[in-house]
Amino acid sequence: MKVASPLVMLAMLTVSTQILAESAVKADAAKGQQIATQVCAGCHSADGNSVIPTNPILAGQHPEYTTKQLMNFKAQEGKPATRNSPIMGAMVAGLSPDDMKNIGAYYAQQTPKTTGAKDKSAAKLGEKVYRGGNIESNVPACASCHSPNGAGIPPVYPRIAGQHAEYTLAQLRAFRTESRANDANQVMHMIANHMTEKEMQAVSEFISGLR
Ligand code: HEC
Ligand code: HEC
């Protein structure tokens, strides 16, 4: 926490006020399941445990985080989407804010499965970065925000444990180039910007085996 605490405070402040303002209506997981089954299952699997490495596992994710991502994939009031994905941009075009809340509630209730890390030596270096960061290059420990077991801290810090390494690596690269710019106060941008490609690959491998 030593390196990260000012960042943590900033990120928490901005995002939590945003979420408070949005949480007036209660979510309906059964309605979310209908959409998930009809529209999303082909890529993310029926219970959100995607078996395709480029498509993220959604099962067990905090509901507020999933809802926020769905909002961020959509262009709002003439402004471009803060999270750029042609595929997901098309998927959310027809969803209302209530649909997004219901979908978040549905996936949060599903049990995440993990396949485990494939490259053990990469995972070893990755564990160092995950637990201790890199003091020399100013990379904070991932564990300080995403928790030691990768379960995250709702509502702001997502669950990342067991996620496909390919997807995690793609996100770190996207944060670095800011094609994904929906992280409050650029917290993930600053972190990814200080990481080497090797560290990103290693930490992604380690995270895929966390549970
Ligand atoms: C054609 C395949 C496809 C379909 C269908 C699809 N997705 Fe996705 N989804 C993806 C891909 C690929 C990504 C990663 C996008 C990126 O690189 O940022 C993604 C990312 C996401 C994320 C971000 C997860 C995270 O951890 O940040 C959410 C949430 C999501 N999808 C929900 C849905 C929902 C809900 C539906 C149905 C309405 C849906 N997806 C339909 C392919 C798909
Ligand atoms: C200071 C707090 C903080 C630290 C430290 C941190 N993160 Fe994050 N991370 C966040 C926040 C906040 C988000 C959510 C951004 C958003 O709202 O879309 C996030 C999102 C992510 C995502 C996207 C997850 C998804 O499902 O799309 C990945 C991957 C990630 N972080 C990996 C890491 C790794 C790897 C490290 C360590 C090198 C790390 N984070 C360190 C705060 C942090």
Side-chain angles (χ1 to χ4, degrees), residues 4 7-8 61 65 68-69 83 129 139-142 144-146 156-160 163 167-168 171-172 175 180 182-183 187-188 191 195 203 207:
L7 282 177
V8 179
Q61 186 55 274
Y65 178 78
K68 175 184 181 287
Q69 299 310 307
R83 184 169 176 183
V129 176
V139 175
C142 318
S144 63
C145 290
H146 294 284
V156 176
Y157 304 110
R159 176 189 169 80
I160 55 177
Q163 185 58 271
Y167 169 78
T168 299
Q171 296 312 301
L172 293 173
F175 281 127
R180 177 170 176 179
N182 63 337
D183 48 331
V187 56
M188 282 306 304
I191 293 169
M195 293 176 81
V203 83
I207 287 167

Side-chain angles (χ1 to χ4, degrees), residues 23-104:
S23 61
V25 185
K26 211 171 174 292
D28 183 338
K31 283 188 184 158
Q33 179 169 19
Q34 265 179 11
I35 301 172
T37 309
Q38 288 164 6
V39 189
C40 325
C43 290
H44 293 285
S45 294
D47 65 351
N49 280 299
S50 147
V51 291
I52 305 162
T54 47
N55 300 348
I57 293 169
L58 308 174
Q61 186 55 274
H62 314 142
E64 302 87 349
Y65 178 78
T66 298
T67 304
K68 175 184 181 287
Q69 299 310 307
L70 295 172
M71 306 273 279
N72 292 164
F73 282 124
K74 202 166 179 171
Q76 310 273 0
E77 291 156 15
K79 287 192 203 132
T82 52
R83 184 169 176 183
N84 182 24
S85 161
I87 297 176
M88 282 306 303
M91 290 300 145
V92 297
L95 299 180
S96 70
D98 279 353
D99 292 335
M100 296 181 187
K101 237 175 252 175
N102 297 339
I103 290 167

